[in-house]
């Protein structure tokens, strides 16, 4: 590798290997043999070429904030870090797009296009550190996905180095053309189809007006009814997030904030767009909530208020550190109308397993993030956490949903996902993998179950949250 | 070799052929307005799905009235997805590709599914999205689940219609915003154009823009996209016997 890329761009040694052994899913660790830092597509191609020559697997890594083990070098080999591919190459305000290297941080893109009144809409909670390459490969979402859509809806074209070290360009700056669109496969492929080096991103105008409301409910049931009712009235809020009382009590303790006494849940609703539209939408949303029994409504008069209303949502997970030494967050999706049933199930399963559970999640999308909190030093706890997590995901599937709304399959969910697939469904997925990962060296052992030479993984839990 | 045919409303855009037609027959239709989704068999017509959704205050964001002069949406769900044609609300609400959440398709003779019937899921590769805009070359689509929109979005749309079709040919061009005015100046026999999505519908074959694509009569397709190799690779992997045209 050093011969190909130069000393400066290759690092190895115990310290480095340890740092690059996992992402934010830190329970499964595998140390790579070295880490390379190409600066552009050409250098990435050289690195991949070398991996193929010496028959060593390679895995792309952005910021390592992934939550399902996507960057873990399960079979060792080379980690291709995009850290030095961090340039914004072009901003084209007329055509509302920007060309960036894969290692550029999401927030940096937004900072660069803001002067033009534009934004890159996907806003994962990790956006101050996570990279565009990571967003594309995980098809990331965020609180504003409800209205603006996921990353797939905001990527126009991606350049990647595939598993044969060929440079391919998928998609086009002009969307919607005739024929098969290979870009749809690349987005969300979790680094298994190649290494993305550059991408043209679609930009959208920043909203003229943002209206935010924080609404309290005295029962969980009335809050989830309100979620369904808001949407039934023809409003698609920019964000519709829910926090239950366990999150609130953590936030109250941590930040000294007060929420209306007797609240079992809060909904954070944001509507945006042209001034008139944002105003009338938030009014309808609030009315819907009141009709469902909301007990308190607080709206933001200015940006400072807005930030305060978002505190529980943005800092809730961090604050939960106060409830117990360990928290584990799950990520599942259900049809929105099944939220009442699902939440009842989550509380019941926590109680059955003597665990604490708090819910803070993208209610509008039906994307649940139950956080179990516990003390892992107590004997038997870990087993109970695993059992509860598995029951939650099974329930998501049973209710017609999905085992992941944003964290991806990675290593973590290979089993829970694949057991819901028929043999034909699986063959459809495998066909894609085999068509593109011809060398079998590109991020092996991820997404698709039963790959050759991949050890079966242990049952485990994930320890970070969104 | 066979060709998948819906209602045949886009036949003018396809190569003439005597191939055996495979007509999907599934007409099941299930609206779940509280979940913001609808699941429809490929043979359900666009009018039927819109009618069913309208009863619950929802819709797919395509305007049937603006659709007619622009090439039309008299067709079926299968055709809507397989052609992924531009429409008058493309710039605000995207194309069918953005609304499709789950599909059941015929894959090498067997039914297989991809995606999830919820508004958000990142489980596995989005294989179903390959069928969007494929014009049938990967084989037939059996059912599609879409995300739905509030009915009031149908009052939007700025497409400008200049004249009626009157049996003329239809060419569709899309380009970058920076090239649109030039393309409009050069275009002959313009039926309609939609500035926000940079799309022009014309009677005469348009000049190729530096970036963009053209769909024309009798299978005419042009685009400057660089992923044709990948398209071929996908076609071979999915349809190794070359069963579908
Ligand atoms: C506190 C916190 C909050 C989060 N909030 C959200 C959220 O709101 N919504 C959400 O969707 N996710 C969220 N995540 C998950 C994670 O941040 C996202 O998935 C993010 O997009 C990953 O970006 P990354 O640069 O860290 O990628 P990494 O973790 O480095 O990589 C993720 C995957 O993408 C692949 N990859 C990365 N770069 C490339 C490339 N250039 N080419 C090919 N493959 C590549 C890797 O191989 C790996 O499989 C959160 C994570 C944390 C820790």
């Amino acid at each position: 590798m050093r011969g190909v890329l130069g000393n400066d761009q290759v690092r190895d040694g115990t310290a480095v290997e340890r740092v690059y052994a996992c992402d934010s899913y830190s329970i499964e660790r595998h140390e790579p043999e070295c880490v390379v830092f190409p600066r552009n597509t050409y250098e990435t191609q050289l690195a991949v070429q070398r991996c193929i020559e010496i028959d060593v697997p390679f895995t792309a890594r952005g910021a390592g904030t992934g939550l399902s083990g996507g960057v873990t070098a399960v079979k060792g080999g080379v980690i291709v870090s995009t850290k030095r591919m961090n340039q914004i190459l072009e901003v084209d305000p007329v055509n509302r797009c920007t060309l960036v290297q894969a290692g550029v941080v999401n927030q940096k893109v937004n900072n660069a296009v803001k002067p033009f009144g534009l934004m890159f809409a996907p806003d994962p909670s990790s956006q101050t550190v996570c990279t565009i390459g990571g967003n594309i490969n995980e098809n990331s979402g965020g609180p504003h996905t409800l209205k603006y859509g996921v990353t797939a809806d905001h990527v126009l074209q991606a350049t990647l180095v595939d598993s044969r070290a060929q440079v391919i360009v998928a998609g086009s700056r002009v969307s919607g053309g005739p024929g098969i669109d290979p870009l749809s496969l690349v987005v969300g492929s979790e680094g298994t189809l190649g290494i993305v080096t550059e991408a043209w991103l679609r930009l959208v105008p920043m909203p003229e007006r943002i209206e935010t409301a924080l609404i309290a409910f005295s029962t969980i049931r009335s809050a989830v009814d309100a979620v369904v009712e808001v949407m039934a009235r023809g409003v698609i809020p920019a964000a519709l997030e829910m926090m239950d009382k366990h999150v609130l009590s953590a936030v109250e303790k941590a930040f000294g904030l007060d929420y209306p006494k007797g609240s079992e849940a809060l909904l954070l609703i944001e509507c945006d767009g042209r001034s008139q539209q944002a105003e009338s939408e938030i009014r309808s949303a609030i009315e819907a909530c009141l009709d469902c029994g909301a007990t308190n409504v607080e709206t933001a008069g200015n940006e400072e208020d807005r930030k305060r209303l978002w505190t529980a949502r943005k800092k809730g997970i961090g604050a939960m550190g106060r409830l117990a030494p360990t928290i584990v967050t799950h990520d599942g999706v259900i049809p929105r109308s099944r939220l009442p049933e699902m939440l009842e199930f989550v509380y019941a399963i926590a109680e059955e397993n003597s665990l604490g559970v708090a819910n803070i999640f993208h209610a509008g999308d039906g994307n649940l993030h139950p956080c179990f909190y516990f003390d892992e030093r107590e004997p038997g706890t870990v087993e109970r956490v695993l059992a509860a997590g598995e029951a939650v995901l099974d329930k998501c599937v049973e209710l017609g949903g999905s085992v992941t709304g944003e964290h991806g399959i990675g290593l973590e969910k290979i089993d829970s996902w694949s057991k819901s697939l028929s043999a034909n469904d699986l063959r459809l997925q495998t066909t894609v993998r085999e068509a593109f990962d011809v060398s079998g060296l590109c991020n092996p052992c991820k997404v698709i179950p039963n790959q050759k030479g991949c050890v079966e993984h242990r049952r485990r839990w994930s320890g970070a949250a969104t | 070799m066979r060709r998948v045919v819906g209602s045949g409303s886009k036949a003018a855009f396809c190569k003439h052929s005597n191939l055996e037609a495979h007509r999907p027959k599934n007409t099941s239709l299930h609206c779940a307005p509280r979940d913001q989704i609808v699941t429809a068999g490929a043979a359900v017509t666009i009018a039927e799905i819109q009618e069913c959704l309208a009863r619950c205050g929802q819709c797919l964001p395509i305007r049937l009235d603006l659709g007619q002069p622009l090439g039309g949406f008299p067709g079926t769900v299968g055709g809507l997805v397989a052609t992924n044609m531009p429409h008058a609300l493309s710039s605000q609400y995207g194309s069918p590709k953005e609304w499709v959440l789950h599909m059941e398709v015929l894959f090498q003779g067997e039914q297989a599914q991809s995606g999830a019937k919820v508004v958000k899921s990142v489980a596995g590769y989005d294989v179903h999205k390959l069928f969007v805009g494929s014009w049938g070359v990967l084989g037939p689509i059996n059912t599609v689940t879409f995300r739905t929109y509030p009915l009031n979005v149908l009052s939007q749309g700025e497409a400008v219609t200049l004249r009626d079709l009157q049996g003329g040919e239809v060419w569709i061009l899309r380009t970058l915003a920076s090239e649109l005015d030039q393309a409009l100046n050069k275009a002959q026999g313009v039926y309609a154009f939609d500035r926000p999505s940079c799309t022009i519908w014309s009677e005469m074959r348009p000049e190729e823009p530096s970036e963009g694509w053209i769909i024309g009569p009798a299978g005419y397709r042009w685009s400057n996209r660089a992923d044709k190799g990948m398209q071929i690779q996908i076609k071979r992997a999915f349809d190794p016997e070359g069963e579908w045209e």
Side-chain angles (χ1 to χ4, degrees), chain B residues 29-51:
Chain B
L29 179 57
H30 178 66
C31 296
R34 287 163 65 80
D35 299 327
Q36 212 196 334
I37 60 172
V38 59
T39 301
V44 170
T45 66
I46 315 285
E48 280 164 348
I49 202 171
Q50 292 292 55
E51 207 181 292

Side-chain angles (χ1 to χ4, degrees), chain A residues 95 153 169 171 173 175 177 179-182 192 231 333 336-337 367 402 404 406 424-425 427 429 433 435, chain B residues 35-36 97-98 107-108 110-111 113 120-122 125 133 150 174 176-178 211 213 225 227 231 233:
Chain A
N95 294 310
D153 305 330
V169 178
R173 283 212 292 169
S175 65
I180 299 164
D181 183 13
T192 61
M231 309 278 295
V333 194
R336 198 186 295 134
S337 64
N367 187 183
S402 160
T404 172
E406 35 185 46
N424 288 332
D425 302 346
R427 213 158 49 83
Q429 297 282 327
R433 173 62 165 263
Chain B
D35 299 327
Q36 212 196 334
K97 186 169 132 200
E98 272 102 70
F107 171 59
Q108 299 173 2
E110 311 265 3
Q111 297 296 338
Q113 308 182 40
K120 187 181 187 188
S121 169
V122 293
Y125 302 114
R174 182 175 282 176
L176 290 170
S178 54
E211 273 189 72
W213 52 260
R225 57 193 296 157
D227 53 15
Q231 290 180 335
Q233 225 174 320

Side-chain angles (χ1 to χ4, degrees), chain A residues 23-24 59-72 80 82 85 102-103 123-127 129-143 151 160 189-197 313 362 369 405-407 410 443 446 464-466, chain B residues 120:
Chain A
D23 52 15
S24 301
T59 298
R61 180 183 172 107
T65 66
L67 291 167
S68 54
V71 304
T72 311
V80 180
T82 59
M85 292 196 265
D123 61 341
S125 309
S126 50
Q127 78 182 144
V129 281
C130 68
T131 65
I132 294 299
N135 296 169
I136 293 175
N137 277 277
E138 295 289 345
N139 192 12
S140 297
T151 302
L160 60 159
S189 61
E190 305 193 21
T192 61
L193 302 185
I195 298 180
V196 175
T197 55
R313 177 60 186 100
H362 311 304
H369 287 315
E406 35 185 46
H407 299 175
N443 202 7
K446 310 293 166 64
T466 58
Chain B
K120 187 181 187 188

Side-chain angles (χ1 to χ4, degrees), chain A residues 27-66:
Chain A
I27 16 224
E28 185 148 341
R29 311 172 65 92
H30 294 275
E31 284 163 17
E33 272 132 82
C34 75
V35 185
V36 299
F37 300 89
R39 288 168 301 193
N40 50 41
T41 307
Y42 176 62
E43 289 182 358
T44 306
Q45 190 181 22
L46 292 180
V48 171
Q49 234 157 26
R50 190 74 190 121
C51 288
I52 296 170
E53 281 161 16
I54 56 178
D55 197 26
V56 159
F58 56 91
T59 298
R61 180 183 172 107
T65 66

